[in-house]
Structure formats: C-alpha cells, structure tokens
Amino acid sequence: MELASKNWDVIVIGGGPAGLASAVAAHDRGAKVCVIEREERPGGILKQCIHDGFGVVRFKEKLTGPEYAHRFIEMARERNIPVFLNSFLTDITYKDGMYTLALVNNDEGAFYSNAPAVVMAMGCRERTDRQVFIQGERPSGIMTAGLAQYFINIQGFMPAKKCVILGSGDIGLIMARRLTLEGADVEGVYEILPEPSGLTRNVVQCLEDYNIPLHLSTTVTEVHGKNRVEGVTVAQVENFKPIPGTERYIECDSLILSVGLIPENDIIEPLKVPMDPKTKGPVVDQNMMTMNPGIFSCGNALHVNDLVDFVSESGDIAGEYAAKFSTNGTHKRNLVPVRAEGKVMYVVPQYLDVNTKNKATIYFRSSETFTNARLTVTAEGEKIISKKFRIVKPPEMERVVVDIDKIPEGAGEIIVELKQEEK
Ligand SMILES: Cc1cc2nc3c(=O)[nH]c(=O)nc-3n(C[C@H](O)[C@H](O)[C@H](O)COP(=O)(O)OP(=O)(O)OC[C@H]3O[C@@H](n4cnc5c(N)ncnc54)[C@H](O)[C@@H]3O)c2cc1C
C-alpha cells in the first residue's frame, strides 16, 4: 500500500508538464510530494506532440513535446519523487484541514490517500462535434485533432485519406501539417471566426508553408455518410449564421475538429471550488491557490495556455505555495479582486493576496487583435504598471509581473486594462 500508507504533504493530480513542475517545486521546498497519473507514462499531452517549438521561453531551445516532458520527468526522477502511474483520482472530499482522495490503481485497488494540499494539474479536454452542433449523420471519421494526433504519432495508424479540418486552433493547424506529411490530402481548414484562433507562427508554418487553404468566416453545416464520412457541406457565415447560397459540398473521408479546449475540472465539482466562467478553470490567487484553502490549480486545468513554458511556470508557483501551505500552515489571506477592463478578455489570477509579499504574475488575453496596445494595472487610482504591446491577439497569451509591495494599502480592486494608444 505504498501510495495509501504515506502521509503526504502535497499530492499532485496529473503527470503532465504542469503537474511535474509543481511536484519538483514542492519537493525543493521540503514537502513530501507524490504525483498521481492515470496513464501508463508521465508527460501528459506532450507525449503525442512530436513537432518542435516547445521550451523556447524556458530553455531557450526548440524542443519536441516528448523532449520537453523528458526534462521534467528527469527532474522528478533525480529527486526520487514517486509518480504513481495507471492511477486515477475518482473523488475528493475535505474535512478538518485534510483532503481525502479516492484513488484506483492495479496495485492497490480502490483506496484512499490524504494530504493537506492538493495540486490539480489535470490538463484539458477537446470540445467535440456534439458541442458545436453539426447537423447530419454520425458516421465514423469524425474525430478531434488530438485523437487524430494520437492515432498517427502514438499508435501509428493513418486515420484519414482526404479530410476537412474544422476550427483553426493550434492542434488543428499542427494536424493539417502532420496529415499532409503523412500523405493525406487536407482539403482545407474552415474557421467560423473572421480570424484564426491559433498562433500566427502555426498558421504560417503549418498551413501557408504547405499550401493548405484557410477559409475564415466559414463553417461545416452538414456531415454526409452512413457508416463512414463521405463528405461535408461548408458555408460562409455572418454573425455565426450560414449565408444561404454559399453552401459547397466537399468529398472527404474524415472531419477533424479543432474547436476549442476545456479545462478538466469535473473532479473538483464536489468541493464547490468557485470557477471563472471565462476561463472555465478555478478562481485563484497569484500563488495558484483556489478559493478553497489547500486546493491549488495550474497548467491547462487552470486556463488553456498556448505555450507549455507558461504551463510549467504556473506549476512551479502552485508547487512552491502548496509546499509552504502544508508545511508552514496557512496564513490569513487578504484577497483583492483583479478586474479585466477594456479589451482584456480575461485575467488569471482573479485575486491578489496582498498578505503574500511576492511578485505576482498576471496572465491575460486580449478580446480582439489590435496594434499599439497599452496595458495598465491600476489600484486606488495609482498606476502600478504601464506597458506597451506592439500587437495583441486573442490566441496569444500575455503576462505582466506586479510587485505586491507596490499595491497601495487598502486597495479595493486591481484593474487590468488594455486600450489602443493614439499614435
Ligand atoms: C496538439 C498540441 C500541440 C501543442 N503544441 C504546442 C507547441 O508547439 N508549443 C507549446 O509550447 N505548447 C504546445 N501545446 C500546449 C502544451 O502541450 C500544453 O499546454 C501542455 O501540455 C499542458 O500541460 P498540462 O500539464 O496542464 O496538461 P496535460 O499535458 O494534458 O497533462 C495532464 C495530465 O493529467 C492526467 N490526468 C487528468 N485527469 C486525471 C485524473 N483524474 N487522475 C489522474 N491523472 C489525471 C492526464 O492523464 C495527463 O497526463 C500543444 C498542445 C497540444 C494538445
């Protein structure tokens, strides 16, 4: 009963880059920490991301996903941090300062384990066709981009000969290139919005470099085929509604979906952890602690990140403070809300604990693409930060660092605002 019998200071759920970074950080702050991972290997989604481009910020190198994950797996191994594989968290309850986790694995069956601090690093899941209301039959050949990636890169199967990709999220763009390299005919990428929802570098490197057309303000309105996809109908849209007369039939055997990611947090629902409707992740302070003391969140479970470097960064923070929380006991938080204003779509964290005298990283996304953007962080009418961004785009997450000491005492809220600057 190796997992159940220990008194853990911190238990991390999820052995992806966020979970592994948080376990390493917690260990380095003196906590007795373990990682619970449901799959048979650690590394999370990075195991199937064999393209390069990971780690440019953190390691100043262009690594593949498995290479990036390997660095964190090695860090955990060097520290002898137990990573329990094929282990699944099924429930979590709280009583008298202790979380009880209901777990299942082959070695120990169904059992319980306890810790005063738990880091939630379960990543995110892909939205499916059911969530984007595509009409028509339900033949085989409709799959998410992540599943297509799993088939090709992990299982060695080719899931499509001629396909249409719906949605221009990063995974869809990456899969457009991957499918092309593997010999499939990618007819085009269709995006309902007037601009791509993935990173510009992926539009250039994955579509333009391979002459794969990107059709903006266009969507799939119908799927055809009984047993296997035989074709789809696409149409241009206005205000998200198909424009009559613009329909076009495309013959294909697969429809690949890249229509958004949802942070994976169902498991913490019984704890009634307050959630942010914009990020679909928990509301946290700058130490990645949720509104439930002792529950921390990081990586894609907190909010969907575009770069893994920031996933690991949030893991570092969550692990460090989870260790402090469990070993030093809790301190009284003084939470000041952080409000998004102007063209800021969302901010993480949603609160700053002004009783923690650290430098707080605020992550944000703009609600639209524009140039000459000025970001200000204000408290009690005092400007704490003013920073210019040449261009901001919703797919590209930005960050600023706020010195908590600079927040005036008694501040009722902190306002993060993006505006277009006059030239
Ligand atoms: C196709 C694709 C391409 C990408 N390309 C890039 C890129 O080029 N550059 C870049 O920087 N970033 C890229 N990213 C983003 C990056 O991979 C992710 O941001 C990062 O992997 C998220 O890390 P995570 O640890 O939060 O989640 P994940 O990597 O998803 O890990 C979560 C882990 O939690 C486990 N888990 C979940 N629930 C439970 C449970 N109940 N019990 C036990 N274990 C559980 C899962 O099995 C998983 O291993 C890409 C992502 C994808 C999907």
Side-chain angles (χ1 to χ4, degrees):
M1 297 292 273
E2 201 190 355
L3 175 51
S5 59
K6 293 243 171 64
N7 291 321
W8 303 105
D9 296 321
V10 179
I11 298 182
V12 176
I13 310 300
L20 291 172
S22 72
V24 167
H27 171 93
D28 290 354
R29 303 284 170 318
K32 201 193 282 178
V33 57
C34 71
V35 179
I36 312 289
E37 169 54 53
R38 67 182 170 193
E39 294 192 350
E40 57 187 21
R41 288 186 296 137
I45 197 75
L46 294 184
K47 297 194 289 291
Q48 65 185 60
C49 302
I50 62 167
H51 57 282
D52 74 354
F54 296 83
V56 178
V57 180
R58 190 165 182 124
F59 297 116
K60 310 280 176 280
E61 281 178 70
K62 267 194 191 171
L63 304 171
T64 63
E67 282 171 333
Y68 186 95
H70 184 70
R71 298 217 173 172
F72 286 89
I73 294 168
E74 277 302 300
M75 285 183 227
R77 201 170 283 155
E78 282 160 13
R79 289 163 176 78
N80 289 323
I81 297 172
V83 179
F84 296 101
L85 301 171
N86 299 308
S87 302
F88 200 89
L89 171 68
T90 58
D91 195 16
I92 178 163
T93 52
Y94 176 74
K95 200 173 171 204
D96 302 334
M98 193 58 82
Y99 289 94
T100 300
L101 280 65
L103 298 154
V104 186
N105 71 19
N106 278 347
D107 301 327
E108 301 174 57
F111 60 99
Y112 295 96
S113 202
N114 301 304
V118 184
V119 178
M120 297 295 172
M122 292 90 62
C124 59
R125 60 172 185 263
E126 295 174 282
R127 291 173 81 201
T128 64
D129 55 328
R130 301 289 155 130
Q131 286 153 313
V132 289
F133 308 109
I134 299 169
Q135 307 301 318
E137 301 289 342
R138 288 286 176 271
S140 66
I142 306 174
M143 71 201 91
T144 62
L147 180 63
Q149 188 179 48
Y150 178 77
F151 279 146
I152 298 177
N153 295 349
I154 303 281
Q155 299 213 310
F157 296 140
M158 192 56 186
K161 286 198 181 102
K162 182 176 180 186
C163 65
V164 160
I165 298 185
L166 176 63
S168 59
D170 287 313
I171 317 179
L173 302 178
I174 284 157
M175 285 316 294
R177 176 177 66 185
R178 186 86 190 102
L179 283 153
T180 305
L181 288 171
E182 289 299 329
D185 175 6
V186 179
E187 196 278 341
V189 175
Y190 293 82
E191 169 59 59
I192 197 165
L193 296 173
E195 59 181 330
S197 50
L199 297 173
T200 307
R201 76 167 193 212
N202 284 336
V203 175
V204 175
Q205 293 171 7
C206 300
L207 300 188
E208 291 173 13
D209 287 358
Y210 292 83
N211 295 321
I212 300 167
L214 170 62
H215 304 267
L216 298 171
S217 301
T218 312
T219 192
V220 169
T221 53
E222 207 175 332
V223 176
H224 308 273
K226 196 108 197 103
N227 298 319
R228 175 84 200 195
V229 173
E230 287 166 12
V232 296
T233 301
V234 296
Q236 287 165 29
V237 297
E238 201 176 287
N239 296 326
F240 297 99
K241 293 219 173 75
I243 304 171
T246 63
E247 297 87 358
R248 186 160 61 87
Y249 179 81
I250 303 164
E251 201 185 298
C252 59
D253 63 18
S254 305
L255 172 64
I256 313 262
L257 303 168
S258 178
V259 287
L261 299 166
I262 305 169
E264 186 70 74
N265 286 301
D266 296 353
I267 200 79
I268 54 172
E269 255 173 37
L271 296 175
K272 301 201 170 10
V273 177
M275 305 293 282
D276 182 333
K278 287 220 173 105
T279 60
K280 310 264 188 290
V283 169
V284 291
D285 64 20
Q286 78 269 28
N287 305 323
M288 306 299 161
M289 186 150 85
T290 65
M291 295 302 103
N292 297 40
I295 295 286
F296 293 78
S297 177
C298 58
N300 278 356
L302 176 59
H303 64 128
V304 175
N305 288 256
D306 36 280
L307 292 185
V308 73
D309 311 72
F310 299 132
V311 161
S312 308
E313 182 179 71
S314 69
D316 295 340
I317 300 169
E320 176 182 345
Y321 284 92
K324 283 187 183 161
F325 179 90
S326 63
T327 52
N328 302 348
T330 179
H331 72 273
K332 195 168 163 20
R333 286 195 280 184
N334 182 0
L335 296 174
V336 180
V338 184
R339 184 156 59 85
E341 269 284 307
K343 296 179 180 189
V344 177
M345 181 169 27
Y346 74 71
V347 283
V348 172
Q350 295 82 353
Y351 286 94
L352 293 184
D353 171 24
V354 290
N355 282 352
T356 311
K357 300 291 176 205
N358 59 0
K359 291 205 189 317
T361 304
I362 298 184
Y363 304 92
F364 66 94
R365 283 182 197 274
S366 62
S367 55
E368 55 187 85
T369 300
F370 62 100
T371 53
N372 294 321
R374 171 70 57 184
L375 177 97
T376 53
V377 179
T378 320
E380 292 297 296
E382 213 175 285
K383 219 174 259 177
I384 308 167
I385 289 181
S386 174
K387 187 174 174 187
K388 187 169 174 181
F389 291 82
R390 195 184 60 77
I391 186 163
V392 284
K393 299 175 178 185
E396 290 171 21
M397 197 181 75
E398 303 288 355
R399 64 199 273 289
V400 282
V401 178
V402 174
D403 190 344
I404 296 289
D405 277 333
K406 296 220 167 107
I407 297 172
E409 234 180 283
E413 66 175 356
I414 291 146
I415 301 166
V416 179
E417 185 170 23
L418 255 184
K419 272 189 194 162
Q420 186 151 38
E421 207 167 51
E422 316 252 309
K423 282 205 189 138

